[in-house]
Amino acid sequence: MMDLFSEIEEPEREELRSLRRELEEANYKYYILNMPTLSDREFDEKMHRLQELEAMFPDMFDPKSPTQHVGSDLSVQRDNTQGTKGKAFETVKHKYPMLSLANSYSREEIEDWVRKLPSGVEIVCELKFDGLSISLWYEHGVLVKALTRGDGVQGDDVIANIKTIPSIPWRIERPDIPEFFELRGEVLLPWERFEALNKEREEQEEPLFANPRNAASGTLKLQDPKEVARRGLDAYLYYMLGDNLPGMTHFERLSTAKEWGFHISEAIKICRNVDEVMAYIAYWDTERKNLPVATDGIVLKVNNLAQQEELGFTAKTPRWAIAYKFPAEKQLTLLREITYQVGRTGVVTPVANLEPVQLSGTIVQRATLHNEDFIKSLDIRPGDRVWVEKGGEIIPKIVGRADRNDEMSATSSLNDAMIYSFPDVCPECGAKLVRVEGEAAWRCPNETGCPPQIKGKIEHFVSRKAMDIEGLGEETIDLFYQKGLLHNIADIYDLQLEDIAAQERLGEKSAQNILDGIEASKKVPWSRVLFALGIRMVGETTAKKIAKKYYTIDSLQWATVEQLCAIEDVGPQIAENIVKYFEDIRNLEILERLRQAGLQFEGEAAEEPQSDKLAGMSIVISGTFTHHSRDEYKAMIESHGGKNVGSVSKKTTFILAGENMGPEKRKKAEELGIKMLSEDEFLELVASEE
Ligand code: IVH
């Protein structure tokens, strides 16, 4: 029998349920996965609709509804590739709940908000920084906790990471400091640092951060404060709370915080009407592009604290403050086609080919679609109208798609046939693609037969930071590849003047330039040669660290995964890539040819400690030596854990005494009864088995 109730149930109830599910999921993707799926505006619209529906059906009240709590960024139980299991940070209950702000997008919405405030109210306008909120606790002037927002009720204590931010004081020494106060603000990764970090990640073939907010969030959750410090976070503070604090207004409190040494933005202004607010917005909508950090709107706050208290809070937001969001630079355009780009390591990246569209002053016609999962999560297909956004990010990105028209979705068979599927063979060479478990990318495994991989490896090898061979650019490499002159990096060293000069566009002079560049590359140091080899995930910095530890290619060739993992920045994946590289006979043949050509496969001796034989010893070097220089002996002492000191004292352990030792030193040593070791004795000591 037909279920009559489902027949008569208002469709709004179903809409309500589905909105709850959708917003829960969007919250999870935004806060936990750092992968926003809805724009702020879409999110707000859906939330607004859900509130409307919940008001229509009070019987469907649910305390777990997204309307009743803010999203959560609490670190979850993790079992990630680094093997960190369990909770990474201590969870602490907030003294005052950390709420979010209601959003507005137009003058009308701001007018609506102002209308509900007492007349003649002062409004403080501030920039809305686009990072992560943080709550700093100071007890007797000492920073004791730094909590993320978490679910608004409790957050993660990330103090070790916060302490890497130079502008956040660890201690304030002033007589007038209250016993306890809390300062809230936003943690950010400045544009410059964000771009540098992404560049580095690109080199290491790690996934890029979509924007500085995601990068800051990922950074704040790291377990390694040293790495956090290296990335260079910053913070702006915008809200002081606590009992018996000085000042009657928000503005005064921030001025006090500034006096105490906190980083408070200069862009704070008291406005007295909506016109003044709109003028502030208009000014900063343009001017913000010159700021070192990302902003996504402005925040309006009632200045007077007594008025703030009177206005109070809703379940999720204060009534005394509201955000105004700048319109995102986003356009809807037609996705004409999805094409595929094969990189030098075989990664196949889907690219959206778009109907050209104007965005932030440039014409955009291509945008990355990242990988198969991304395309599937947005259910994007050629022929769709897609949203392209260009924030401060480097590459324009697709952030969503418009609803398909009903006509199309009605013809479901056509629709199903069009469901997107990633190609299973390489678009360049036809090899069957592989997807490594745990990776989002599909790869072409045909390393030595797939043209873009062959050319890409050669381009990488000759690039400026690698072998720096001038004259061998992308076009020339392409030409030489077509003509059969170049198939791999070793072929470069077999190029002959007449072969090069015989090519169109290349006379004898440019041919000679290329050969000079090739010759000069034979002096490029070992660490850069290692980088140039293009071992997967071995970027410039990693190569330097490896070359410092393994200063000949022969020693590196026999290193095990375990040994390689002992190097800073080298994880199991990189280590495995290195081991695999040396297991491949084709690579060994190429290396042998490069060795014959005279490339630097050896570097300077490692500065890493060799042993701790001389640990705790103070050693004076005196006189002249035959086997090594004084500097070399100094380095040797240090590399075995000892300390080289200048003058003889009773703390001196022994003297490394060469020929013609200074008479003063000898006299003093004899007086104090300090041992003297000849050059040979010393060398024997450091060479001896432990
Ligand atoms: S005040 C109770 N001021 O925006 C009000 N928030 O969308 C506390 N934000 O969670 C917030 N700049 O992370 C305030 N100048 C500013 C801000 C700001 C950025 C963030 C903050 C908040 C979020 C709400």
Side-chain angles (χ1 to χ4, degrees), residues 77-197:
Q77 291 276 327
R78 269 175 282 196
D79 185 4
N80 60 21
T81 45
Q82 272 120 46
T84 337
K85 236 189 176 167
K87 197 96 178 45
F89 300 102
E90 192 198 352
T91 301
V92 179
K93 193 163 179 289
H94 291 296
K95 284 220 162 72
Y96 311 90
M98 265 180 110
L99 300 176
S100 162
L101 290 171
N103 286 330
S104 66
Y105 297 91
S106 63
R107 179 183 177 112
E108 290 68 42
E109 285 173 275
I110 293 177
E111 279 171 347
D112 280 350
W113 177 70
V114 172
R115 214 170 288 129
K116 292 183 202 136
L117 304 176
S119 61
V121 70
E122 280 184 352
I123 297 167
V124 179
C125 289
E126 297 171 14
L127 291 173
K128 185 170 187 308
F129 296 103
D130 194 12
L132 286 106
S133 38
I134 193 80
S135 154
L136 308 176
W137 292 13
Y138 284 84
E139 276 172 17
H140 304 285
V142 178
L143 176 65
V144 291
K145 286 203 187 319
L147 307 181
T148 62
R149 179 163 78 163
D151 60 5
V153 177
Q154 49 182 21
D156 286 337
D157 186 3
V158 290
I159 187 165
N161 289 342
I162 286 297
K163 281 186 163 178
T164 67
I165 302 177
S167 66
I168 293 185
W170 293 22
R171 171 188 296 274
I172 304 145
E173 285 177 68
R174 288 178 65 108
D176 56 346
I177 280 296
E179 204 173 301
F180 176 85
F181 69 92
E182 187 177 330
L183 254 182
R184 291 188 181 170
E186 203 81 350
V187 176
L188 303 137
L189 194 67
W191 285 116
E192 212 182 295
R193 311 303 295 246
F194 163 70
E195 272 149 26
L197 177 64

Side-chain angles (χ1 to χ4, degrees), residues 382-405:
D384 279 339
R385 292 177 65 73
V386 290
W387 284 106
V388 199
E389 194 174 290
K390 201 170 164 219
E393 290 96 48
I394 346 154
I395 315 159
K397 55 180 187 174
I398 307 289
V399 290
R401 66 164 168 78
D403 279 344
R404 301 197 179 97
N405 64 42

Side-chain angles (χ1 to χ4, degrees), residues 499-537:
D499 291 335
I500 306 176
Q503 306 304 323
E504 315 154 29
R505 293 186 283 115
L506 287 170
E508 202 156 304
K509 189 151 177 275
S510 24
Q512 191 55 52
N513 279 346
I514 293 175
L515 286 185
D516 291 347
I518 294 173
E519 196 53 35
S521 76
K522 295 178 183 169
K523 295 208 169 59
V524 163
W526 158 229
S527 65
R528 272 172 52 195
V529 175
L530 176 58
F531 169 58
L533 295 179
I535 302 174
R536 203 177 285 171
M537 290 168 82

Side-chain angles (χ1 to χ4, degrees), residues 438-449:
E439 275 185 25
W442 283 95
R443 282 176 196 273
C444 166
N446 185 13
E447 275 181 56
T448 49

